[in-house]
């Protein structure tokens, strides 16, 4: 079944659909921007890219949809965990998308998602308030 036909079927009746603040969002897996649109939909396309935080809280998991085995949802996804520094992680994701000839229209959205996940995993440094010495008369 073509992706356009699948989109016409699930466009108005998806279980992942969220309508809020006069906008339409989607919570399906491999949707990089959480927008309910044909372009970012992670269910209907043959090749999709997804970025998730790693289960241990360090690094990211890049989820790629394989071209083969589309009718077997349990085995059609390939997951790669990347646990490097921020620059190396971004380069790895960029190269994975480019070298595997995945959808280049999703490259920038994937990089932004990776950057946001890595930023959220940084430890929060609490600054101490400097207490001024009280002058004595």
């Amino acid at each position: 079944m073509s992706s356009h036909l699948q989109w016409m079927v699930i466009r108005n009746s998806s279980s992942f659909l969220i309508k809020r603040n006069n906008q339409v969002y989607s919570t399906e897996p491999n949707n990089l921007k959480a927008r309910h649109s044909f372009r970012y939909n992670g269910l209907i396309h043959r090749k999709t890219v997804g970025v998730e935080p790693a289960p241990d809280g360090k690094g990211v998991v890049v989820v790629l949809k394989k071209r083969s085995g589309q009718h077997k949802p349990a085995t059609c996804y390939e997951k790669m965990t990347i646990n490097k520094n921020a620059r190396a992680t971004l380069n790895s994701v960029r190269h994975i998308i480019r070298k595997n000839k995945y959808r280049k229209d999703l490259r920038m959205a994937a990089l932004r998602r990776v950057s946001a996940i890595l930023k959220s995993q940084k430890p929060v440094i609490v600054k101490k308030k400097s207490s001024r010495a009280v002058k004595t008369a």
Side-chain angles (χ1 to χ4, degrees):
M1 196 182 312
S2 74
S3 57
H4 290 285
L5 182 59
Q6 289 177 5
W7 174 247
M8 295 304 285
V9 170
I10 70 165
R11 183 178 59 173
N12 293 323
S13 61
S14 174
S15 64
F16 299 106
L17 197 62
I18 296 173
K19 294 181 180 179
R20 189 175 295 156
N21 299 333
N22 294 330
Q23 292 184 346
V24 184
Y25 300 106
S26 181
T27 59
E28 75 230 1
N30 297 339
N31 188 331
L32 291 170
K33 287 201 165 189
R35 277 196 200 146
H36 184 66
S37 68
F38 175 77
R39 181 180 184 183
Y40 296 111
N41 194 294
L43 299 174
I44 60 176
H45 293 289
R46 283 194 176 176
K47 289 185 169 185
T48 59
V49 179
V51 179
E52 304 166 356
D56 61 348
K58 294 180 181 177
V60 295
V61 177
V62 179
V63 182
L64 301 175
K65 194 173 187 182
K66 299 181 207 170
R67 259 194 102 193
S68 61
Q70 295 280 324
H71 58 283
K72 298 178 184 175
T75 60
C76 72
Y77 292 107
E78 181 181 356
K79 294 186 177 188
M80 290 175 270
T81 304
I82 302 173
N83 187 5
K84 301 177 182 176
N85 61 22
R87 184 174 294 187
T89 302
L90 289 170
N91 277 334
S92 296
V93 172
R94 185 180 298 120
H95 285 297
I96 287 169
I97 294 171
R98 185 178 292 156
K99 300 297 181 189
N100 291 334
K101 295 185 177 159
Y102 263 75
R103 296 179 44 201
K104 58 185 176 183
D105 62 327
L106 297 180
R107 189 182 79 230
M108 201 63 206
L111 292 176
R112 286 185 178 192
R113 185 73 171 247
V114 169
S115 179
I117 290 171
L118 291 175
K119 188 177 180 183
S120 72
Q121 291 174 345
K122 275 188 172 179
V124 178
I125 300 171
V126 179
K127 292 183 179 179
K128 294 182 180 178
K129 289 187 177 181
S130 59
S131 59
R132 300 172 84 188
V134 180
K135 290 184 180 178
T136 56

